[in-house]
Amino acid sequence: MSSDRPRTPTSDGDGPLARALRLSAATSVVGVIGYPISHSLSPLLHNTAFAEMGLDWVSVGFPVPPGQAARALIGARAMGIRGLSVTMPHKEEAAQASDRCTTEADRLHAVNCLINEEDGWLGDNTDGAGLLAALARSSRFDPSGQRCMVVGAGGAARAVIAALGDGGASEVIVVNRTAARGQSAAALAGPSGRVGTTAEASSCALVVNATPVGMDDVDSGSPVWPVDPGLLGPGQLVVDLVYHPPVTPWLAAAAGQGSITSNGLGMLVHQAALQIERWTGTTAPVDAMWAAVEGG
Ligand code: NAP
């Protein structure tokens, strides 16, 4: 019913409402598939970029239940959806359902970005490149020749491990609760990847936590850390892929040791920026995207 109501004139100039009311049958549509999806910041990031770029494109969230990604791709292609961002729990199913995959997505068996090409869906993965782009921008970090540690071996860790190997890290040390998963994740970095222990953290230029561990409040008793903050210090870049809260207790402890710290917001922004570039062929306005999620 509400969609049949006449539109109310707005006075917000070129604000989001004015822009939304300009959507038409010619507007290009992209979206994010996941479940649940209502919390996703991806549409905000994409729509900020489209507005800044002056493109008649729009991004929306599609709640696709588990096991339904392949069907969603068929429907989305039939409707001419230009691209899809893919989040939990669909990254692996999207890789299987893609008509083709980039080398990156093939290697990870995970797709976070789908591009609707003439011959079908091209599956890509921008997660690892997104984190490295974020660290280059915020801390001028270049993995080339550096010893790095990644704690975790899940989807996010695997993308980061592969990107560090590609980026020329001298060593990518992987630490994971389940040894076999750690071993197969370390192999993604090629010859520089190996399994190790957190005791080696003090010799690493970069330490990344890609697990949910380290969210405990320090005052709550004996906290469980991904890496003992006592092993971290000045000159090291310490990253927690979690971004809510913006400063996890582990990141705060690492900062207290003098390390440079960064949360996962940069990875989120830059993986979305790379998606925009894959879809539109144009450089994404990263500063505006950052401002949107930082509330600036
Ligand atoms: P995932 O595939 O489920 O992997 C989780 C990883 O954490 C596995 O290596 C798992 O070890 C380990 N783990 C879980 N609970 C643990 C515990 N209690 N003790 C020790 N290890 C534990 O998850 P994911 O998608 O990779 O996400 C990992 C983290 O990255 C999450 O915090 C997520 O919010 C964050 N993330 C951030 C972004 C971003 O854009 N910033 C994107 C994706 C994910 P086992 O192998 O032993 O199970």
Side-chain angles (χ1 to χ4, degrees):
M1 285 259 299
S2 60
S3 61
D4 293 336
R5 283 192 202 129
R7 285 173 172 171
T8 313
T10 65
S11 58
D12 76 336
D14 199 37
L17 187 54
R19 284 197 298 270
L21 293 180
R22 267 183 233 140
L23 298 179
S24 75
T27 302
S28 292
V29 179
V30 297
V32 52
I33 59 168
Y35 204 86
I37 201 63
S38 57
H39 67 286
S40 174
L41 292 173
S42 291
L44 172 65
L45 284 164
H46 298 152
N47 289 325
T48 299
F50 296 147
E52 194 74 13
M53 296 159 87
L55 293 178
D56 184 17
W57 287 53
V58 68
S59 175
V60 292
F62 295 112
V64 174
Q68 298 293 313
R71 292 183 66 201
L73 261 61
I74 294 168
R77 186 159 165 83
M79 292 195 297
I81 304 277
R82 302 284 296 268
L84 290 169
S85 175
V86 182
T87 189
M88 293 239 301
H90 297 310
K91 291 187 182 184
E92 286 174 18
E93 191 183 344
Q96 286 156 12
S98 296
D99 297 290
R100 290 183 298 126
C101 278
T102 60
T103 316
E104 187 62 16
D106 241 347
R107 186 164 50 144
L108 296 169
H109 305 299
V111 156
N112 82 330
C113 175
L114 287 154
I115 304 119
N116 194 347
E117 300 207 320
E118 212 163 288
D119 55 351
W121 286 114
L122 171 64
D124 196 4
N125 195 307
T126 65
D127 279 335
L131 178 65
L132 291 196
L135 297 184
R137 184 176 187 271
S138 66
S139 314
R140 299 188 179 190
F141 178 78
D142 176 357
S144 180
Q146 306 275 19
R147 178 182 278 183
C148 304
M149 176 173 286
V150 178
V151 183
R158 290 168 62 83
V160 171
I161 291 163
L164 288 171
D166 289 350
S170 58
E171 277 189 90
V172 183
I173 303 169
V174 178
V175 180
N176 192 51
R177 177 178 60 181
T178 307
R181 268 161 63 87
Q183 193 78 52
S184 84
L188 290 166
S192 60
R194 68 171 173 87
V195 166
T197 68
T198 56
E200 298 172 89
S202 53
S203 66
C204 293
L206 172 72
V207 178
V208 178
N209 176 31
T211 75
V213 179
M215 305 279 287
D216 298 336
D217 193 325
V218 254
D219 300 328
S220 68
S222 48
V224 180
W225 302 121
V227 171
D228 179 353
L231 294 168
L232 305 172
Q236 288 180 289
L237 177 55
V238 176
V239 179
D240 199 330
L241 295 190
V242 172
Y243 52 84
H244 188 73
V247 182
T248 60
W250 182 67
L251 269 194
Q257 295 292 116
S259 299
I260 302 158
T261 58
S262 185
N263 68 17
L265 205 52
M267 177 169 170
L268 181 80
V269 170
H270 283 266
Q271 60 84 33
L274 291 170
Q275 294 177 346
I276 295 284
E277 293 176 10
R278 304 287 193 272
W279 294 329
T280 67
T282 310
T283 306
V286 173
D287 288 340
M289 296 169 76
W290 260 111
V293 289
E294 283 181 324

